[in-house]
Amino acid sequence: MPSPFLFRKVLYLVEATGRRAATLDELLRVVAVAEPRSIGYHMHREFLAHKFVHTEWPNDFADWTTRVLGDEMLGERLANLVVFKYRSHEALRARIAAIIAEHLLQYPEAAKLRAPRGREFYLCASRPVVMECAQSALDLADLARCLTSVPASSVFFHMFETRFDGAAHRDNDFAEWIRGELGRHELARRVADIDPYMFSLEEARRRVIAVIASELDAQPRGKEAR
Amino acid sequence: MEAALDAYRVVVGDRTIDELRALAAPLRGRRVQNINATRVGGGVAEILHRMLPLMRELGLDASWDVLEGADEFYRVTKAFHNAIQGDPVEIGPFDYEVFLRWNRKNAERIDLHGDFVFIHDPQPAALVERRAPSARGQRLIWRCHIDASHPHRGLWSFLERFVRRYDASIFSAPQFTQPRLPVPQFLVAPAIDPLSDKNRPLEADEVRAVLERFGIDPARPILLQVSRFDRFKDPVGVIQAYRMVKATNDCQLVLAGGGASDDPEGAEVLAEVRDAAGNEPDLHVLELPPDAHLTINALQRAATVVFQKSLREGFGLTVSEAMWKGRPVIGGATGGIPLQILDGLTGYLVSSPEGAAFRARYLLNHPEAANEMGRRGIEQVRQNFLLTRNLCDYLLIMHAVTRAEATTIRL
């Protein structure tokens, strides 16, 4: 009997760190000493925000360097990070710092760019508050059913928040459960392949549901998916 | 009338209300004390009036104490208020003395009894001096509602010695915070109450009656700014913008201002505004009492375009109030206004009377675009600036300050 998949959700309390940057040198210094939870906040907060238009840049570092400093090349490099390759926010922070440092070495004139007053990069951090959703799944059909109704913050929690614990490589929670509890390796791989960075949370939710639904449709009638 | 929490379900959905109840459950019975400088007028008092009943409904023992003071204290705290927001104000030793004397007098009267004590803005900041050493487990939180990013240095040095004795602080935006404060600086945007008299839906008759009362023509476009008569709100700049618009588009301007009991400058600024307005029949300067919530609601609903052309601003909640009524808002790019107005989507950010006039002319000539901005504004407020979100943040802070070391809080 598999252990149930317990849906959780996360709310964030945001804190200012008091650190700010107006230039790339300052941003590099700020990133170099940033706490891991600051990196997580600035990499992911856009995904939980309500939006009227699609956001051009997926994280605050890319957004600020492009829109405020006007350094599009650096913005593109920061946007193209394959985030889940890194197993901890520390590792991700080191990579972000390296990208900025390499860019400054390659294009020293970029150091002259300066944000106007009030549009500096303000380093923040978030403290997650994790709560139960009072929904759980015992099989694939349950999982898909619950996924249609849990809040976006639950999708976020299971696809982003639990990925950076510093342990061995970890897929999103849905893929981990499908592999670990149901033993469905091929399906788990397909769910793991959904890169939430390429979608809004709602699109990512729909894609996970669609992959599970296609698996349920494909299996012989009357056989419960496990 | 105080609205019960469940009444908010139709506005924010069941999930939000259930979430609040779940967050509050572990805090049931805890005493939440709020202390500020005035019971009427200004955004802080409005939020407290609305939030405390909801806290009580969630099982918290919420209370509110108000400072007492004389004119000398309010004169000093008004100067402090302006100086923290960067106004070049002269502050001398006598001012600090007055501030401390009144804080100490109030400390004799107000017992810091809460498990969580939220002290709002600089006026009561020194009450932390009287924190009882025996009050173990008590958490004092300084809630700064104004932009403290570029304060008068001398004043900030004076205030900082109190602020650093709190367990945590709250600011409305990262831009408002201080770089070297050794206590956590939580970020909580203020919020409006969608069910209060100031924001609840009104019948067309109610709106019309208010316009009639002030001789405003409902058939012609109305430009509106609602704010205290305060130089930082640039009411004279709004009059200049209106005159530029009026040169090409028929319209009326309404400047509606309330007062707060802790703002002695209001009358002086109002006189300046009346002088600038002259006797123009389409320019209405309305001095409203602090409780004119329904009137303000009606004016915002009747407006075609709303201004909040501040030069400096705390958060500028009148922006969210106007957006909640589906109005496009033209705001000064200062303080919390850029956090509320999505430039080009829910209104426009401007830096001059000319900018305000240009955007207003555009909106008067493109009513469909104005309506679309208004629709987005409602959603922007629903997602980010309603009282229920503010309450949620306060509950999160109570959990966080009791588990200061926890990087993740599991409920």
Side-chain angles (χ1 to χ4, degrees):
Chain A
M1 191 72 177
S3 299
F5 185 96
L6 299 175
F7 281 89
R8 295 186 170 88
K9 61 184 171 182
V10 62
L11 302 176
Y12 289 99
L13 178 59
V14 183
E15 251 177 88
T17 65
R19 296 196 182 94
R20 59 192 67 173
T23 65
L24 289 179
D25 276 329
E26 289 172 8
L27 181 65
L28 181 55
R29 280 198 289 272
V30 159
V31 168
V33 297
E35 284 184 56
R37 60 200 185 101
S38 285
I39 300 298
Y41 172 77
H42 287 292
M43 289 301 292
H44 302 146
R45 80 179 175 94
E46 267 299 315
F47 290 89
L48 273 173
H50 176 80
K51 289 190 276 288
F52 296 102
V53 289
H54 177 70
T55 311
E56 198 174 358
W57 303 105
N59 64 65
D60 286 348
F61 301 107
D63 185 70
W64 185 77
T65 51
T66 309
R67 283 200 312 115
V68 178
L69 292 187
D71 191 332
E72 296 201 351
M73 189 183 288
L74 179 57
E76 289 168 3
R77 288 173 171 177
L78 291 165
N80 195 41
L81 271 167
V82 182
V83 175
F84 294 130
K85 206 169 85 183
Y86 303 92
R87 291 167 194 179
S88 67
H89 285 132
E90 284 93 335
L92 192 51
R93 175 186 59 190
R95 183 64 199 132
I96 293 167
I99 290 172
I100 300 169
E102 285 160 17
H103 184 76
L104 281 169
L105 275 176
Q106 205 175 348
Y107 301 99
E109 66 276 16
K112 293 180 190 151
L113 300 169
R114 172 169 281 277
R117 179 171 151 168
R119 298 194 70 195
E120 296 91 344
F121 187 96
Y122 295 90
L123 188 80
C124 296
S126 59
R127 201 173 301 191
V129 178
V130 180
M131 304 167 76
E132 305 286 341
C133 286
Q135 279 176 280
S136 61
L138 278 170
D139 56 35
L140 277 182
D142 266 356
L143 188 68
R145 199 166 34 246
C146 292
L147 261 169
T148 60
S149 61
V150 291
S153 60
S154 178
V155 179
F156 182 89
F157 177 78
H158 293 294
M159 295 196 86
F160 286 85
E161 180 65 32
T162 54
R163 303 283 291 270
F164 295 96
D165 61 2
H169 175 76
R170 184 178 166 79
D171 289 326
N172 66 59
D173 285 355
F174 307 118
E176 291 287 339
W177 184 75
I178 291 167
R179 183 187 299 110
E181 295 297 326
L182 305 186
R184 307 281 288 262
H185 291 262
E186 174 52 23
L187 176 62
R189 188 193 58 75
R190 282 193 285 140
V191 172
D193 280 349
I194 296 168
D195 179 358
Y197 270 83
M198 294 296 106
F199 308 105
S200 70
L201 280 180
E202 291 311 316
E203 287 168 335
R205 179 207 302 263
R206 282 197 293 274
R207 284 189 177 248
V208 175
I209 293 169
V211 168
I212 297 171
S214 70
E215 181 78 6
L216 289 169
D217 286 347
Q219 69 193 15
R221 284 179 190 281
K223 185 180 174 188
E224 177 50 77
R226 272 281 144 88
Chain B
M1 192 186 77
E2 289 175 0
L5 196 53
D6 281 340
Y8 291 81
R9 287 184 187 273
V10 291
V11 182
V12 296
D14 290 341
R15 187 169 279 153
T16 299
I17 304 305
D18 296 343
E19 216 159 75
L20 287 172
R21 292 194 188 281
L23 279 171
L27 300 166
R28 270 190 96 77
R30 306 296 291 274
R31 292 164 300 177
V32 182
Q33 184 179 13
N34 289 274
I35 304 173
N36 83 323
T38 176
R39 205 173 285 280
V40 285
V44 179
E46 270 181 43
I47 288 174
L48 291 177
H49 269 299
R50 307 299 302 182
M51 193 152 70
L52 262 64
L54 300 182
M55 283 186 169
R56 289 184 193 120
E57 196 182 332
L58 286 170
L60 300 165
D61 179 2
S63 62
W64 178 8
D65 294 289
V66 175
L67 293 186
E68 285 179 357
D71 288 349
E72 60 167 3
F73 179 59
Y74 295 128
R75 181 190 57 75
V76 166
T77 57
K78 179 67 184 179
F80 278 22
H81 180 95
N82 290 347
I84 287 174
Q85 293 192 99
D87 208 21
V89 174
E90 280 201 22
I91 296 171
F94 178 70
D95 298 315
Y96 295 126
E97 193 190 306
V98 169
F99 177 84
L100 286 176
R101 180 157 26 91
W102 278 100
N103 263 266
R104 285 168 187 159
K105 264 189 195 174
N106 277 287
E108 284 164 19
R109 195 177 56 84
I110 300 172
D111 172 34
L112 298 184
H113 65 273
D115 297 308
F116 303 99
V117 184
F118 290 91
I119 294 191
H120 297 262
D121 277 337
Q123 298 94 323
L127 291 182
V128 71
E129 276 189 325
R130 298 300 175 95
R131 174 186 211 166
S134 59
R136 284 184 61 213
Q138 182 183 59
R139 298 288 185 271
L140 263 68
I141 299 137
W142 186 57
R143 199 326 177 190
C144 182
H145 293 267
I146 55 181
D147 179 353
S149 57
H150 297 89
H152 179 292
R153 294 314 311 175
L155 171 61
W156 182 253
S157 305
F158 170 78
L159 281 178
E160 195 186 358
R161 68 188 162 110
F162 302 111
V163 176
R164 55 175 57 232
R165 293 168 67 177
Y166 284 79
D167 296 293
S169 59
I170 305 174
F171 291 86
S172 297
Q175 294 88 330
F176 294 2
T177 59
Q178 273 292 312
R180 279 173 293 277
L181 207 53
V183 298
Q185 300 183 71
F186 295 118
L187 299 176
V188 177
I192 64 164
D193 184 349
L195 304 184
S196 67
D197 279 347
K198 205 187 240 184
N199 298 304
R200 68 173 171 80
L202 295 181
E203 299 294 334
D205 285 353
E206 293 177 275
V207 175
R208 214 167 18 246
V210 169
L211 297 185
E212 269 173 28
R213 175 150 54 98
F214 294 112
I216 301 163
D217 181 358
R220 291 187 297 137
I222 298 167
L223 311 181
L224 170 73
Q225 175 156 301
V226 175
S227 63
R228 285 192 206 185
F229 291 103
D230 179 327
R231 292 187 188 95
F232 283 154
K233 315 289 184 188
D234 198 19
V236 175
V238 173
I239 292 174
Q240 290 167 356
Y242 155 74
R243 289 194 169 127
M244 292 178 221
V245 177
K246 184 81 170 168
T248 56
N249 290 76
D250 182 30
C251 61
Q252 308 162 83
L253 175 66
V254 179
L255 288 173
S261 59
D262 62 342
D263 181 8
E265 271 179 16
E268 199 180 305
V269 179
L270 176 60
E272 287 170 18
V273 170
R274 287 199 191 285
D275 189 43
N279 292 318
E280 216 169 310
D282 281 341
L283 205 167
H284 306 266
V285 179
L286 312 181
E287 189 187 4
L288 301 175
D291 61 350
H293 303 311
L294 277 171
T295 303
I296 289 169
N297 188 344
L299 290 171
Q300 287 167 330
R301 287 179 192 281
T304 317
V305 174
V306 175
F307 289 120
Q308 187 57 56
K309 216 204 84 51
S310 304
L311 304 172
R312 291 210 189 98
E313 188 56 81
F315 199 77
L317 263 184
T318 47
V319 169
S320 281
E321 285 169 14
M323 291 201 301
W324 184 241
K325 281 106 185 176
R327 298 295 170 259
V329 183
I330 297 172
T334 183
I337 295 174
L339 301 174
Q340 296 170 81
I341 296 176
L342 302 176
D343 196 17
L345 289 171
T346 66
Y348 292 106
L349 295 171
V350 298
S351 306
S352 63
E354 289 80 2
F358 173 67
R359 296 304 193 184
R361 284 167 53 207
Y362 176 83
L363 290 169
L364 292 180
N365 285 290
H366 294 83
E368 340 68 49
N371 287 339
E372 182 56 29
M373 284 186 168
R375 275 192 289 276
R376 290 196 201 105
I378 294 171
E379 203 47 40
Q380 161 77 344
V381 175
R382 191 194 317 278
Q383 295 291 334
N384 299 298
F385 301 114
L386 292 186
L387 186 65
T388 41
R389 198 269 313 136
N390 201 3
L391 181 53
C392 176
D393 285 341
Y394 272 63
L395 294 170
L396 291 176
I397 286 170
M398 290 181 226
H399 284 295
V401 293
T402 45
R403 303 171 210 202
E405 300 308 315
T407 49
T408 299
I409 298 165
R410 294 182 188 280
L411 297 182

